[in-house]
Amino acid sequence: MRFRPLRTATASQPTTPAETPPETMRAVVFDEPGAPEVLRVTDVSVPSPALSEVLVRVVAAGVNPIDAKTRLGRGVAGLIDRWPSTLGFDFSGVVVASPFETHDLQPGTEVFGMVPFPRSGGSYAEYVVVPSLSVARKPASLSHVEAAGVPLAALTAWGLVVETAHAHEGQRMLIHAGSGGVGHFAVQLAAYFGAQVTATGSERNLPWLRELGASVAIDYATTRFEDVVGEMDVVIDLVGNVHDDTGSRSLGVLRPGGLYVMVPTGGWPGYGEAAAAAGVRATGYKVIPDGSVLATLGRLLDSGAIQVFVDSVHDLSDVAAAHVEVERGHSRGKVVLTVAET
């Protein structure tokens, strides 16, 4: 029996000659946990890829709440095994070195993705080494600054809304902190898949939350959400009990057997027991840096089905100010660092 190919073979595309990276690079490091001022820019060695990893020249890097928590000694700080350490998960940049000659991500390819910090150096640096399965081609419609704000937040939102909550037509979903980095993607994805979205946020963000797809937007500062929402199928909690017992209060708006999803690290250690006592299901969630999902998100971004919002952009040398902004907790969408020119 002869093999019939499923598609006509095409000639391979020409690749960009690989650039030779320097021996050292600029990176933001910190020597011990502390305030934003512990972050400093210095020269460190450029990392070398191995096996299926790619070396990427970073153009922009996203700043996330987990970065600030880790800098303070919380978050994933306990996993840091060498100092000084470089923070950062998100990046957008250009491939410098590929695993092999026919790999899909050849030198010159614009990509975005997540660095496996703290197991390796973070993305607040001019070059990063990344597993090739944790990156995808950068959406053509986005700048590097915009793309750098996508990976961790959008992958988290996808995991919450699609893989955990299984968003579908008519589902009633409450999303706390809907205007933040993860939240603004979660609202859009939930609405895209047909859920009836209620989101909490600050007064200035209520019209924007409705634009993102929320049917109901609630000002958390002036309105007790449990007084105005009906019975929910799912609560995605991006706040926890660190503010006004948001987590505990959320259990009371879930239908029997409904699902409560706790996101912030350390936001409410006792959520599981409390949920069981209330007769609802509960789970935490940790982001999975899956390049195939990131590619799907890239297609949604290019089609305009979802959008990324960058609230502010800081130079790498201004990283302390970026952390101060993230810690205030009032950013709309994402905060991003510019690392290099394209």
Side-chain angles (χ1 to χ4, degrees), residues 5-328:
L6 296 178
R7 59 183 178 182
T8 302
T10 56
S12 60
Q13 297 297 312
T15 59
T16 302
E19 63 179 85
T20 302
E23 293 184 359
T24 62
M25 64 179 181
R26 288 192 313 149
V28 173
V29 304
F30 67 125
D31 301 286
E32 60 183 2
E37 290 71 28
V38 301
L39 300 173
R40 59 186 177 88
V41 179
T42 189
D43 289 338
V44 301
S45 297
V46 172
S48 298
L51 300 175
S52 63
E53 295 173 330
V54 293
L55 177 65
V56 177
R57 177 170 57 83
V58 177
V59 178
V63 182
N64 295 287
I66 188 65
D67 300 349
K69 289 181 180 180
T70 302
R71 190 210 70 234
L72 284 166
R74 303 197 298 270
V76 294
L79 298 175
I80 298 175
D81 59 5
R82 57 187 179 275
W83 300 89
S85 179
T86 298
L87 286 168
F89 289 94
D90 288 337
F91 72 88
S92 182
V94 181
V95 173
V96 174
S98 300
F100 47 88
E101 290 81 357
T102 57
H103 193 275
D104 186 51
L105 302 176
Q106 286 296 301
T109 305
E110 294 186 324
V111 295
F112 69 147
M114 283 184 62
V115 178
F117 174 82
R119 302 299 189 187
S120 68
S123 61
Y124 295 6
E126 291 180 314
Y127 292 86
V128 291
V129 161
V130 197
S132 58
L133 293 178
S134 297
V135 300
R137 291 175 182 269
K138 180 182 75 66
S141 63
L142 301 188
S143 67
H144 281 290
V145 166
E146 292 169 323
V150 173
L152 185 146
L155 285 169
T156 301
W158 179 277
L160 295 169
V161 171
V162 180
E163 297 175 353
T164 304
H166 304 296
H168 56 269
E169 194 75 29
Q171 184 185 49
R172 299 157 299 179
M173 186 180 299
L174 171 61
I175 300 173
H176 289 304
S179 58
V182 174
H184 87 293
F185 282 119
V187 170
Q188 293 178 83
L189 287 169
Y192 178 81
F193 285 101
Q196 298 174 6
V197 181
T198 297
T200 63
S202 62
E203 180 182 11
R204 79 178 182 99
N205 286 321
L206 300 187
W208 186 56
L209 286 170
R210 296 187 189 99
E211 291 177 12
L212 293 177
S215 300
V216 178
I218 299 171
D219 179 1
Y220 69 86
T222 61
T223 304
R224 306 289 283 183
F225 63 84
E226 62 268 36
D227 293 339
V228 296
V229 303
E231 202 171 53
M232 293 287 125
D233 298 305
V234 178
V235 173
I236 293 178
D237 188 358
L238 297 163
V239 179
N241 273 359
V242 296
H243 177 76
D244 201 21
D245 294 328
T246 298
S248 298
R249 292 161 50 211
S250 295
L251 300 183
V253 303
L254 280 165
R255 64 168 173 79
L259 177 64
Y260 172 80
V261 188
M262 177 67 215
V263 185
T265 304
W268 182 17
Y271 72 87
E273 295 82 356
V280 300
R281 296 171 294 141
T283 182
Y285 183 79
K286 298 293 183 290
V287 65
I288 300 172
D290 187 331
S292 63
V293 173
L294 197 56
T296 297
L297 289 162
R299 289 190 289 272
L300 290 173
L301 287 158
D302 272 339
S303 72
I306 61 173
Q307 299 178 350
V308 57
F309 187 88
V310 176
D311 197 357
S312 66
V313 182
H314 300 259
D315 185 78
L316 189 67
S317 61
D318 199 28
V319 61
H323 270 235
V324 169
E325 182 175 348
V326 166
E327 287 180 296
R328 287 196 185 111

